[in-house]
Amino acid sequence: MSDRKVVINKKQIHEKVAALAAQISADYSGKDLILTGVLNGAFIFLADLTRAITIPHQIDFIRVASYGNSDSSSGTITLTKDIELDCKGKHVLLVEDIIDTGATLDWLTNKFNDQDAASVRICALINKKERRISEIPIDYIGFSLERGFLIGYGLDYAQQHRHLPEIYTLQP
Ligand code: IMP
Ligand code: MG
């Protein structure tokens, strides 16, 4: 296996999650919020974020296929698991591990807007800019990165490494 190097450590993740949760709690106070995790990558981030949010909210998950077992996008997006809550009139906050081309979240934003959600916003732990195709507005960003491939804290390479507690780059 290739070597790995920590790029975002536990303390940095913890502090960032707390700051994002405080902002979300203030912004959505008094609103019907559905925290919508994009599986699989967002499961750990969402688990930490939801416990740091101090206002009532619902949680659901959605899954789309776009990557397969590769580190480059296949370019097509298919819905493989929809949310089960009714999002009509509710405020949907999409929670994603990392935004790369932006195609996934562009597609998901349109989907929830078509279903008459009251609002659709995006919270991404990592914003990776180099390969952006869809210039979608990202309302809450944890960390920004120009390029590279990251693993750990939910992020995978070929479905491995999601359990690692910090965020690493894979070194060849
Ligand atoms: P997008 O549609 O190109 O923005 O794809 C975003 C998805 O690609 C993320 O949810 C991840 O599943 C995957 N992805 C992109 N970059 C990375 C990375 O550096 N590590 C792990 N997964 C990544
Ligand atoms: Mg993902």
mmCIF file of all heavy atoms in Angstrom, residues 67 73 96-104 128 148-150 155-156, ligand 1:
data_model
loop_
_atom_site.group_PDB
_atom_site.id
_atom_site.type_symbol
_atom_site.label_atom_id
_atom_site.label_comp_id
_atom_site.label_asym_id
_atom_site.label_seq_id
_atom_site.Cartn_x
_atom_site.Cartn_y
_atom_site.Cartn_z
ATOM 1 N N TYR A 67 -18.744 7.661 -9.312
ATOM 2 C CA TYR A 67 -17.295 7.464 -9.327
ATOM 3 C C TYR A 67 -16.830 6.026 -9.562
ATOM 4 O O TYR A 67 -15.744 5.816 -10.052
ATOM 5 C CB TYR A 67 -16.691 7.953 -7.992
ATOM 6 C CG TYR A 67 -15.991 9.271 -8.136
ATOM 7 C CD1 TYR A 67 -16.704 10.410 -8.448
ATOM 8 C CD2 TYR A 67 -14.613 9.357 -7.979
ATOM 9 C CE1 TYR A 67 -16.068 11.617 -8.595
ATOM 10 C CE2 TYR A 67 -13.964 10.572 -8.122
ATOM 11 C CZ TYR A 67 -14.700 11.696 -8.430
ATOM 12 O OH TYR A 67 -14.060 12.887 -8.576
ATOM 13 N N SER A 73 -13.899 11.063 -12.085
ATOM 14 C CA SER A 73 -15.348 10.961 -12.248
ATOM 15 C C SER A 73 -15.722 10.256 -13.541
ATOM 16 O O SER A 73 -15.098 10.430 -14.577
ATOM 17 C CB SER A 73 -15.953 12.360 -12.236
ATOM 18 O OG SER A 73 -17.329 12.275 -12.473
ATOM 19 N N GLU A 96 -21.843 16.969 2.305
ATOM 20 C CA GLU A 96 -20.970 16.196 1.421
ATOM 21 C C GLU A 96 -19.554 16.176 1.990
ATOM 22 O O GLU A 96 -19.119 17.136 2.634
ATOM 23 C CB GLU A 96 -21.018 16.856 0.029
ATOM 24 C CG GLU A 96 -20.130 16.273 -1.035
ATOM 25 C CD GLU A 96 -20.482 14.855 -1.472
ATOM 26 O OE1 GLU A 96 -20.469 13.977 -0.603
ATOM 27 O OE2 GLU A 96 -20.725 14.646 -2.668
ATOM 28 N N ASP A 97 -18.837 15.095 1.746
ATOM 29 C CA ASP A 97 -17.450 15.018 2.212
ATOM 30 C C ASP A 97 -16.556 15.955 1.408
ATOM 31 O O ASP A 97 -15.826 16.765 1.957
ATOM 32 C CB ASP A 97 -16.933 13.563 2.174
ATOM 33 C CG ASP A 97 -17.102 12.887 0.812
ATOM 34 O OD1 ASP A 97 -17.690 13.489 -0.110
ATOM 35 O OD2 ASP A 97 -16.651 11.733 0.677
ATOM 36 N N ILE A 98 -16.616 15.847 0.086
ATOM 37 C CA ILE A 98 -15.696 16.626 -0.748
ATOM 38 C C ILE A 98 -16.367 16.964 -2.083
ATOM 39 O O ILE A 98 -17.087 16.144 -2.640
ATOM 40 C CB ILE A 98 -14.370 15.847 -0.952
ATOM 41 C CG1 ILE A 98 -13.324 16.662 -1.697
ATOM 42 C CG2 ILE A 98 -14.579 14.506 -1.607
ATOM 43 C CD1 ILE A 98 -11.901 16.094 -1.584
ATOM 44 N N ILE A 99 -16.162 18.176 -2.541
ATOM 45 C CA ILE A 99 -16.677 18.573 -3.858
ATOM 46 C C ILE A 99 -15.503 18.664 -4.808
ATOM 47 O O ILE A 99 -14.511 19.348 -4.533
ATOM 48 C CB ILE A 99 -17.383 19.940 -3.802
ATOM 49 C CG1 ILE A 99 -18.482 19.900 -2.745
ATOM 50 C CG2 ILE A 99 -17.953 20.299 -5.162
ATOM 51 C CD1 ILE A 99 -19.315 21.162 -2.708
ATOM 52 N N ASP A 100 -15.616 17.968 -5.909
ATOM 53 C CA ASP A 100 -14.529 17.929 -6.882
ATOM 54 C C ASP A 100 -14.978 18.677 -8.144
ATOM 55 O O ASP A 100 -14.821 19.895 -8.245
ATOM 56 C CB ASP A 100 -14.177 16.462 -7.137
ATOM 57 C CG ASP A 100 -12.968 16.274 -8.020
ATOM 58 O OD1 ASP A 100 -12.296 17.255 -8.343
ATOM 59 O OD2 ASP A 100 -12.676 15.115 -8.398
ATOM 60 N N THR A 101 -15.587 17.988 -9.094
ATOM 61 C CA THR A 101 -16.070 18.682 -10.299
ATOM 62 C C THR A 101 -17.306 19.528 -9.983
ATOM 63 O O THR A 101 -17.595 20.491 -10.695
ATOM 64 C CB THR A 101 -16.458 17.675 -11.406
ATOM 65 O OG1 THR A 101 -17.572 16.900 -10.949
ATOM 66 C CG2 THR A 101 -15.288 16.777 -11.767
ATOM 67 N N GLY A 102 -18.042 19.142 -8.952
ATOM 68 C CA GLY A 102 -19.277 19.851 -8.609
ATOM 69 C C GLY A 102 -20.503 19.229 -9.265
ATOM 70 O O GLY A 102 -21.632 19.619 -8.978
ATOM 71 N N ALA A 103 -20.282 18.246 -10.129
ATOM 72 C CA ALA A 103 -21.394 17.658 -10.883
ATOM 73 C C ALA A 103 -22.424 16.996 -9.959
ATOM 74 O O ALA A 103 -23.630 17.155 -10.159
ATOM 75 C CB ALA A 103 -20.860 16.642 -11.896
ATOM 76 N N THR A 104 -21.946 16.294 -8.939
ATOM 77 C CA THR A 104 -22.867 15.589 -8.040
ATOM 78 C C THR A 104 -23.799 16.571 -7.339
ATOM 79 O O THR A 104 -25.021 16.393 -7.319
ATOM 80 C CB THR A 104 -22.071 14.799 -6.963
ATOM 81 O OG1 THR A 104 -21.122 13.956 -7.612
ATOM 82 C CG2 THR A 104 -22.981 13.977 -6.090
ATOM 83 N N LYS A 128 -12.522 21.021 -3.211
ATOM 84 C CA LYS A 128 -11.334 20.796 -4.050
ATOM 85 C C LYS A 128 -11.559 21.482 -5.390
ATOM 86 O O LYS A 128 -12.469 21.147 -6.127
ATOM 87 C CB LYS A 128 -11.118 19.294 -4.225
ATOM 88 C CG LYS A 128 -9.831 18.953 -4.899
ATOM 89 C CD LYS A 128 -9.451 17.509 -4.671
ATOM 90 C CE LYS A 128 -10.194 16.557 -5.576
ATOM 91 N NZ LYS A 128 -9.722 15.168 -5.411
ATOM 92 N N GLY A 148 -5.245 17.215 -5.487
ATOM 93 C CA GLY A 148 -4.783 16.086 -4.680
ATOM 94 C C GLY A 148 -5.922 15.120 -4.424
ATOM 95 O O GLY A 148 -7.077 15.418 -4.725
ATOM 96 N N PHE A 149 -5.576 13.954 -3.898
ATOM 97 C CA PHE A 149 -6.598 12.963 -3.586
ATOM 98 C C PHE A 149 -6.507 12.624 -2.114
ATOM 99 O O PHE A 149 -5.451 12.249 -1.616
ATOM 100 C CB PHE A 149 -6.438 11.703 -4.444
ATOM 101 C CG PHE A 149 -7.674 10.871 -4.425
ATOM 102 C CD1 PHE A 149 -8.732 11.154 -5.283
ATOM 103 C CD2 PHE A 149 -7.823 9.841 -3.519
ATOM 104 C CE1 PHE A 149 -9.907 10.413 -5.243
ATOM 105 C CE2 PHE A 149 -8.997 9.091 -3.462
ATOM 106 C CZ PHE A 149 -10.034 9.376 -4.331
ATOM 107 N N LEU A 150 -7.618 12.799 -1.401
ATOM 108 C CA LEU A 150 -7.626 12.652 0.053
ATOM 109 C C LEU A 150 -8.382 11.396 0.476
ATOM 110 O O LEU A 150 -9.337 10.979 -0.183
ATOM 111 C CB LEU A 150 -8.288 13.876 0.693
ATOM 112 C CG LEU A 150 -7.660 15.227 0.362
ATOM 113 C CD1 LEU A 150 -8.420 16.339 1.074
ATOM 114 C CD2 LEU A 150 -6.194 15.264 0.750
ATOM 115 N N LEU A 155 -13.685 9.620 3.705
ATOM 116 C CA LEU A 155 -13.230 9.643 2.300
ATOM 117 C C LEU A 155 -12.522 8.334 1.959
ATOM 118 O O LEU A 155 -11.684 7.856 2.722
ATOM 119 C CB LEU A 155 -12.248 10.799 2.096
ATOM 120 C CG LEU A 155 -12.838 12.195 2.219
ATOM 121 C CD1 LEU A 155 -11.764 13.183 2.619
ATOM 122 C CD2 LEU A 155 -13.467 12.600 0.904
ATOM 123 N N ASP A 156 -12.838 7.819 0.773
ATOM 124 C CA ASP A 156 -12.279 6.519 0.397
ATOM 125 C C ASP A 156 -11.405 6.593 -0.839
ATOM 126 O O ASP A 156 -11.470 7.528 -1.631
ATOM 127 C CB ASP A 156 -13.416 5.543 0.087
ATOM 128 C CG ASP A 156 -14.053 5.824 -1.275
ATOM 129 O OD1 ASP A 156 -14.537 6.966 -1.472
ATOM 130 O OD2 ASP A 156 -14.057 4.941 -2.144
HETATM 131 P P1 IMP B 1 -17.920 15.569 -7.972
HETATM 132 O O1 IMP B 1 -19.253 15.264 -8.588
HETATM 133 O O2 IMP B 1 -16.819 15.492 -8.997
HETATM 134 O O3 IMP B 1 -17.896 16.857 -7.213
HETATM 135 O O4 IMP B 1 -17.628 14.336 -7.043
HETATM 136 C C1 IMP B 1 -17.549 14.411 -5.684
HETATM 137 C C2 IMP B 1 -17.383 13.012 -5.145
HETATM 138 O O5 IMP B 1 -16.195 12.414 -5.680
HETATM 139 C C3 IMP B 1 -17.163 13.031 -3.647
HETATM 140 O O6 IMP B 1 -18.367 12.904 -2.961
HETATM 141 C C4 IMP B 1 -16.284 11.828 -3.435
HETATM 142 O O7 IMP B 1 -17.076 10.669 -3.319
HETATM 143 C C5 IMP B 1 -15.471 11.719 -4.701
HETATM 144 N N1 IMP B 1 -14.149 12.357 -4.538
HETATM 145 C C6 IMP B 1 -13.656 13.432 -5.178
HETATM 146 N N2 IMP B 1 -12.418 13.733 -4.780
HETATM 147 C C7 IMP B 1 -12.107 12.834 -3.833
HETATM 148 C C8 IMP B 1 -10.946 12.639 -3.001
HETATM 149 O O8 IMP B 1 -9.934 13.376 -3.036
HETATM 150 N N3 IMP B 1 -11.006 11.589 -2.141
HETATM 151 C C9 IMP B 1 -12.078 10.761 -2.036
HETATM 152 N N4 IMP B 1 -13.176 10.916 -2.782
HETATM 153 C C10 IMP B 1 -13.195 11.938 -3.679
#
